[in-house]
Amino acid sequence: MSVLSTVVFADISGSTSLYETLGNERATEAVTQVTQWIGETIETHGGRVVKKLGDGVLAIFGDASGAVSAISSMLRHHQDRLHRWPLPLRMDIRVGVASGEVVDVGGDCYGDAVNVASRLCERAGPSEIWATETAVLLAGAAPDVWYRKLGMMEIRGKAELLMLYQVEWRENEEPDSLTMQAALVSSFAPADSILGQIQFSWHGADMSFTSSDAPVHIGRATHAQLCINDPRVSRLHARIDWRNSGFVLTDMSSFGTWVRFDGSDSPVRLRRDACILHGTGQIALGVSFSEPSAPVMQFHVAGTNVHLG
């Protein structure tokens, strides 16, 4: 069974030159110590180490916010450690982060998010954290963390370009100098300090939820807060979280979710992906709006601090 998770891939930048400088035995010992420390730090922060791959560590977290906080804290502590190490032993860590459906098979994990996290780690520079837009949306604000938008980039193995972000963790960075995603407010503001409300209409019935009600599940299952009795809707089709003073819709279904905002002619298709809900619009579950009989809900968002540019 697949589970929405956040995948972290961390490895040591420049380990090849370390072997040339120190020799195989000393370099192997140094790399092993760092990878063990990375694994222990991840587990201390609530993550699960899936496996270690030479100079890299693959881990998963149940939530994106915990993952971003964990790896940011890890790089800060590693920076402090480096100052005490002899120059030849100083090794930087780079990290890739991606959120999505992950399948656990015998303790190992598989899925698109695993592959993307590995590719982002390859692209990241020393002491950098690269993350997908879905991971950033789900993580929201984290203490002493900012997001720099890197733009649409090609990732090896992916047919479409991905919007990527760099997670800035250095305490001496000026957040005003960074390019923030328009929908993300400064992390100096508490993520849940502003009460939001979202209203749904389905077949003449209206239901309202506040930020304190999140997460709200949409699906065919009777225990879903928004129960949609239609065979094209998955049992647990989608989830709505309150992140960064805004409502985030995450598709968890077999066939996808479509979001159409009022005033826009181009629906947003979600396939195990996420987007921020704002203003007024419609959500189609399981089939697109082009299908006349599609199960479509109306939504209206009020009282959030999200402003889209």
Side-chain angles (χ1 to χ4, degrees):
M1 184 179 70
S2 60
V3 178
L4 182 64
S5 307
T6 294
V7 181
V8 168
F9 198 99
D11 76 2
I12 298 170
S13 173
S15 60
T16 301
S17 60
L18 193 70
Y19 281 89
E20 295 175 353
T21 304
L22 300 178
N24 289 342
E25 187 173 343
R26 287 188 64 199
T28 299
E29 181 181 357
V31 168
T32 300
Q33 288 180 356
V34 174
T35 54
Q36 286 179 343
W37 178 82
I38 291 173
E40 291 168 359
T41 303
I42 286 171
E43 290 177 341
T44 299
H45 286 82
R48 178 173 76 86
V49 173
V50 177
K51 56 187 173 184
K52 296 173 183 174
L53 304 166
D55 59 358
V57 177
L58 173 64
I60 59 173
F61 286 78
D63 68 288
S65 179
V68 169
S69 294
I71 57 179
S72 300
S73 176
M74 179 179 75
L75 288 189
R76 288 191 200 99
H77 284 104
H78 184 64
Q79 196 74 14
D80 293 338
R81 284 155 43 96
L82 285 183
H83 295 315
R84 302 192 297 268
W85 291 3
L87 192 59
L89 290 176
R90 294 182 183 179
M91 294 169 277
D92 287 308
I93 298 171
R94 57 185 181 179
V95 185
V97 185
S99 294
E101 295 293 316
V102 173
V103 179
D104 188 297
V105 180
D108 205 346
C109 63
Y110 302 88
D112 185 58
V114 178
N115 299 328
V116 171
S118 174
R119 300 289 184 257
L120 295 189
C121 186
E122 292 175 357
R123 296 283 296 272
S127 302
E128 288 184 351
I129 303 169
W130 281 31
T132 62
E133 185 170 51
T134 302
V136 169
L137 285 172
L138 293 176
D144 300 319
V145 167
W146 305 273
Y147 302 106
R148 182 200 301 268
K149 180 184 273 189
L150 299 175
M152 302 293 290
M153 293 192 184
E154 183 179 349
I155 297 298
R156 183 160 56 91
K158 296 290 291 181
E160 298 179 354
L161 300 179
L162 293 182
M163 177 63 74
L164 301 180
Y165 292 81
Q166 183 172 325
V167 181
E168 293 289 352
W169 53 269
R170 295 174 178 84
E171 294 174 334
N172 60 349
E173 287 281 357
E174 289 292 335
D176 291 341
S177 68
L178 304 179
T179 303
M180 301 286 293
Q181 182 195 13
L184 294 172
V185 298
S186 168
S187 61
F188 287 117
D192 296 324
S193 62
I194 301 171
L195 186 68
Q197 185 176 52
I198 186 166
Q199 181 178 0
F200 295 95
S201 300
W202 164 253
H203 281 190
D206 294 333
M207 294 188 69
S208 293
F209 302 93
T210 66
S211 54
S212 59
D213 295 321
V216 175
H217 290 91
I218 305 170
R220 208 173 65 250
T222 55
H223 63 271
Q225 290 96 324
L226 283 166
C227 183
I228 310 299
N229 188 16
D230 187 290
R232 294 164 293 184
V233 177
S234 298
R235 291 190 68 257
L236 286 178
H237 193 100
R239 191 183 72 209
I240 296 172
D241 294 284
W242 176 250
R243 295 286 190 218
N244 209 33
S245 300
F247 289 104
V248 177
L249 171 68
T250 303
D251 173 70
M252 304 165 61
S253 71
S254 301
F255 302 109
T257 302
W258 287 257
V259 181
R260 184 169 59 196
F261 297 97
D262 285 1
S264 173
D265 296 328
S266 302
V268 177
R269 187 191 179 188
L270 302 176
R271 190 70 188 272
R272 307 297 174 92
D273 209 343
C275 79
I276 292 178
L277 297 179
H278 60 91
T280 302
Q282 302 84 40
I283 300 172
L285 306 168
V287 291
S288 70
F289 292 103
S290 61
E291 172 61 47
S293 64
V296 175
M297 295 191 304
Q298 308 287 326
F299 72 86
H300 173 69
V301 179
T304 69
N305 195 39
V306 174
H307 299 282
L308 299 180

Coordinates of all heavy atoms in Angstrom, one line a residue, residues 66-109:
G66 N 8.1 18.1 9.4 CA 9.1 17.5 10.2 C 10.4 17.2 9.4 O 11.5 17.3 10.0
A67 N 10.3 16.9 8.1 CA 11.5 16.6 7.3 C 12.3 17.9 7.1 O 13.5 17.9 7.3 CB 11.0 16.0 6.0
V68 N 11.6 19.0 6.8 CA 12.4 20.2 6.6 C 13.0 20.7 7.8 O 14.2 21.2 7.8 CB 11.4 21.3 6.0 CG1 12.0 22.7 6.0 CG2 11.0 20.9 4.6
S69 N 12.3 20.6 8.9 CA 12.9 21.1 10.2 C 14.1 20.2 10.6 O 15.1 20.7 11.1 CB 11.8 21.0 11.3 OG 10.8 21.9 11.1
A70 N 14.0 18.9 10.3 CA 15.0 17.9 10.7 C 16.3 18.2 9.9 O 17.4 18.3 10.5 CB 14.6 16.5 10.5
I71 N 16.2 18.3 8.6 CA 17.4 18.4 7.8 C 18.0 19.8 7.9 O 19.2 20.0 7.8 CB 17.1 18.1 6.3 CG1 16.0 19.0 5.7 CG2 16.8 16.6 6.2 CD1 15.7 18.7 4.3
S72 N 17.2 20.9 8.2 CA 17.7 22.2 8.4 C 18.5 22.2 9.7 O 19.6 22.8 9.8 CB 16.6 23.2 8.5 OG 15.9 23.2 7.3
S73 N 18.0 21.6 10.7 CA 18.7 21.5 12.0 C 20.0 20.7 11.8 O 21.0 21.0 12.4 CB 17.8 20.9 13.1 OG 18.5 20.7 14.3
M74 N 19.9 19.6 11.0 CA 21.1 18.8 10.8 C 22.2 19.6 10.1 O 23.4 19.5 10.6 CB 20.7 17.6 9.9 CG 21.8 16.7 9.6 SD 21.3 15.3 8.6 CE 21.1 16.1 7.0
L75 N 21.9 20.4 9.1 CA 22.9 21.1 8.4 C 23.5 22.2 9.3 O 24.7 22.5 9.2 CB 22.4 21.7 7.1 CG 22.1 20.7 6.0 CD1 21.8 21.4 4.7 CD2 23.3 19.8 5.8
R76 N 22.7 22.8 10.2 CA 23.2 23.8 11.1 C 24.2 23.2 12.1 O 25.3 23.7 12.3 CB 22.1 24.5 11.9 CG 21.2 25.4 11.1 CD 20.3 26.2 12.0 NE 19.2 26.7 11.2 CZ 18.0 26.2 11.2 NH1 17.7 25.1 11.9 NH2 17.1 26.7 10.4
H77 N 23.9 22.0 12.6 CA 24.8 21.4 13.6 C 26.0 20.9 12.9 O 27.1 20.9 13.4 CB 24.1 20.2 14.2 CG 23.1 20.6 15.3 ND1 21.7 20.6 15.1 CD2 23.3 21.0 16.6 CE1 21.1 21.0 16.2 NE2 22.1 21.3 17.1
H78 N 25.9 20.4 11.6 CA 27.1 19.9 10.9 C 28.0 21.1 10.6 O 29.2 20.9 10.7 CB 26.6 19.3 9.6 CG 27.7 18.7 8.8 ND1 28.5 17.6 9.2 CD2 28.3 19.0 7.6 CE1 29.4 17.3 8.3 NE2 29.3 18.2 7.3
Q79 N 27.4 22.3 10.3 CA 28.3 23.5 10.1 C 29.1 23.8 11.3 O 30.3 24.1 11.2 CB 27.4 24.7 9.7 CG 28.1 25.8 9.1 CD 28.5 25.5 7.7 OE1 28.0 24.6 7.0 NE2 29.4 26.4 7.1
D80 N 28.5 23.7 12.5 CA 29.3 23.9 13.7 C 30.4 22.8 13.9 O 31.5 23.1 14.4 CB 28.3 23.9 14.9 CG 27.3 25.0 14.9 OD1 27.7 26.1 14.3 OD2 26.3 24.9 15.6
R81 N 30.0 21.6 13.6 CA 31.0 20.5 13.7 C 32.2 20.7 12.8 O 33.4 20.4 13.2 CB 30.3 19.2 13.4 CG 29.4 18.6 14.4 CD 28.4 17.7 13.9 NE 28.8 16.7 12.9 CZ 29.2 15.5 13.1 NH1 29.1 15.0 14.4 NH2 29.6 14.7 12.2
L82 N 32.0 21.2 11.6 CA 33.0 21.3 10.6 C 34.1 22.3 11.1 O 35.3 22.1 10.8 CB 32.5 21.9 9.3 CG 31.7 20.9 8.4 CD1 31.3 21.6 7.1 CD2 32.5 19.6 8.1
H83 N 33.8 23.3 11.8 CA 34.8 24.2 12.3 C 35.8 23.6 13.3 O 36.9 24.1 13.4 CB 34.1 25.4 13.0 CG 33.2 26.2 12.1 ND1 33.6 26.6 10.9 CD2 32.0 26.7 12.3 CE1 32.7 27.4 10.3 NE2 31.7 27.4 11.2
R84 N 35.4 22.5 13.9 CA 36.3 21.8 14.8 C 37.1 20.7 14.1 O 38.0 20.0 14.8 CB 35.5 21.2 15.9 CG 34.7 22.2 16.7 CD 34.1 21.7 18.0 NE 33.2 20.6 17.8 CZ 31.9 20.7 17.6 NH1 31.4 21.9 17.7 NH2 31.1 19.7 17.4
W85 N 36.9 20.4 12.9 CA 37.6 19.3 12.2 C 38.8 19.8 11.4 O 38.8 21.0 10.9 CB 36.6 18.7 11.1 CG 35.5 17.9 11.8 CD1 35.2 17.8 13.1 CD2 34.5 17.2 11.1 NE1 34.1 17.1 13.3 CE2 33.6 16.6 12.0 CE3 34.2 16.9 9.7 CZ2 32.5 15.9 11.7 CZ3 33.2 16.1 9.4 CH2 32.3 15.6 10.4
P86 N 39.8 19.0 11.3 CA 41.0 19.3 10.4 C 40.5 19.6 9.0 O 39.6 18.9 8.5 CB 41.9 18.1 10.5 CG 41.4 17.4 11.7 CD 40.0 17.7 11.9
L87 N 41.1 20.5 8.3 CA 40.7 20.9 7.0 C 40.5 19.7 6.0 O 39.6 19.7 5.3 CB 41.7 21.9 6.4 CG 41.3 22.6 5.1 CD1 40.0 23.4 5.4 CD2 42.4 23.6 4.6
P88 N 41.4 18.7 6.0 CA 41.3 17.6 5.0 C 40.0 16.8 5.3 O 39.5 16.1 4.4 CB 42.5 16.8 5.2 CG 43.5 17.7 5.8 CD 42.7 18.6 6.7
L89 N 39.5 16.8 6.5 CA 38.3 16.0 6.8 C 37.0 16.7 6.7 O 35.9 16.1 7.0 CB 38.5 15.5 8.3 CG 39.6 14.5 8.5 CD1 39.7 14.1 10.0 CD2 39.3 13.2 7.7
R90 N 37.0 18.0 6.3 CA 35.8 18.7 6.2 C 35.0 18.3 5.0 O 35.4 18.5 3.9 CB 36.1 20.2 6.2 CG 36.7 20.7 7.5 CD 36.9 22.2 7.5 NE 37.6 22.6 8.8 CZ 38.0 23.9 9.0 NH1 37.7 24.8 8.1 NH2 38.6 24.2 10.2
M91 N 33.8 17.8 5.3 CA 32.9 17.3 4.2 C 31.5 18.0 4.3 O 30.9 18.0 5.4 CB 32.7 15.8 4.4 CG 33.9 14.9 4.2 SD 33.7 13.2 4.7 CE 34.0 13.3 6.5
D92 N 31.1 18.5 3.2 CA 29.8 19.1 3.2 C 28.7 18.1 2.9 O 29.0 17.1 2.3 CB 29.7 20.2 2.1 CG 30.5 21.5 2.5 OD1 30.3 22.0 3.6 OD2 31.4 21.9 1.7
I93 N 27.5 18.4 3.3 CA 26.3 17.5 3.1 C 25.4 18.3 2.2 O 25.2 19.5 2.3 CB 25.6 17.2 4.4 CG1 26.6 16.4 5.3 CG2 24.3 16.4 4.2 CD1 26.0 16.2 6.7
R94 N 24.8 17.6 1.2 CA 23.8 18.1 0.3 C 22.5 17.2 0.4 O 22.6 16.1 0.7 CB 24.3 18.2 -1.1 CG 24.7 16.9 -1.7 CD 25.3 17.1 -3.1 NE 25.7 15.8 -3.6 CZ 26.2 15.7 -4.8 NH1 26.4 16.7 -5.6 NH2 26.6 14.5 -5.3
V95 N 21.4 17.8 0.2 CA 20.1 17.1 0.5 C 19.1 17.4 -0.6 O 19.0 18.5 -1.1 CB 19.5 17.5 1.8 CG1 18.3 16.7 2.2 CG2 20.5 17.4 3.0
G96 N 18.3 16.3 -1.0 CA 17.2 16.5 -1.9 C 15.9 16.0 -1.1 O 16.0 15.1 -0.3
V97 N 14.8 16.8 -1.3 CA 13.6 16.5 -0.6 C 12.4 16.5 -1.6 O 12.3 17.4 -2.4 CB 13.3 17.6 0.5 CG1 12.0 17.2 1.3 CG2 14.5 17.8 1.4
A98 N 11.6 15.4 -1.5 CA 10.4 15.3 -2.4 C 9.3 14.6 -1.6 O 9.5 13.7 -0.8 CB 10.7 14.5 -3.7
S99 N 8.1 15.1 -1.8 CA 6.9 14.5 -1.2 C 6.0 13.8 -2.2 O 5.9 14.2 -3.4 CB 6.0 15.6 -0.5 OG 6.7 16.1 0.6
G100 N 5.5 12.6 -1.9 CA 4.6 11.9 -2.8 C 4.3 10.5 -2.2 O 4.6 10.2 -1.1
E101 N 3.6 9.7 -3.0 CA 3.2 8.4 -2.6 C 4.5 7.5 -2.6 O 5.2 7.4 -3.6 CB 2.2 7.8 -3.5 CG 0.9 8.6 -3.5 CD 0.2 8.4 -2.1 OE1 0.1 7.3 -1.6 OE2 -0.3 9.4 -1.6
V102 N 4.7 6.7 -1.5 CA 5.8 5.8 -1.4 C 5.3 4.4 -1.0 O 4.4 4.3 -0.2 CB 6.8 6.3 -0.3 CG1 7.8 5.3 0.0 CG2 7.4 7.7 -0.7
V103 N 5.8 3.4 -1.7 CA 5.4 2.1 -1.4 C 6.5 1.4 -0.6 O 7.7 1.4 -1.0 CB 5.2 1.3 -2.7 CG1 4.8 -0.2 -2.4 CG2 4.1 2.0 -3.5
D104 N 6.2 0.8 0.5 CA 7.2 0.0 1.3 C 7.1 -1.4 0.9 O 6.1 -2.1 1.0 CB 6.8 0.2 2.8 CG 7.9 -0.4 3.7 OD1 8.1 -1.6 3.7 OD2 8.5 0.4 4.5
V105 N 8.3 -2.0 0.5 CA 8.4 -3.4 0.2 C 9.6 -4.0 1.0 O 10.7 -3.7 0.7 CB 8.6 -3.6 -1.3 CG1 8.8 -5.1 -1.6 CG2 7.5 -3.0 -2.1
G106 N 9.2 -4.7 2.0 CA 10.2 -5.4 2.8 C 11.2 -4.4 3.5 O 12.4 -4.7 3.6
G107 N 10.7 -3.3 3.9 CA 11.6 -2.3 4.5 C 12.2 -1.3 3.6 O 12.7 -0.2 4.0
D108 N 12.3 -1.6 2.3 CA 12.8 -0.7 1.3 C 11.6 0.2 0.8 O 10.4 -0.2 1.0 CB 13.4 -1.4 0.2 CG 14.5 -0.6 -0.6 OD1 14.5 0.7 -0.3 OD2 15.2 -1.1 -1.4
C109 N 11.8 1.3 0.2 CA 10.8 2.1 -0.3 C 11.0 2.5 -1.8 O 12.1 2.6 -2.3 CB 10.6 3.4 0.5 SG 12.0 4.5 0.5

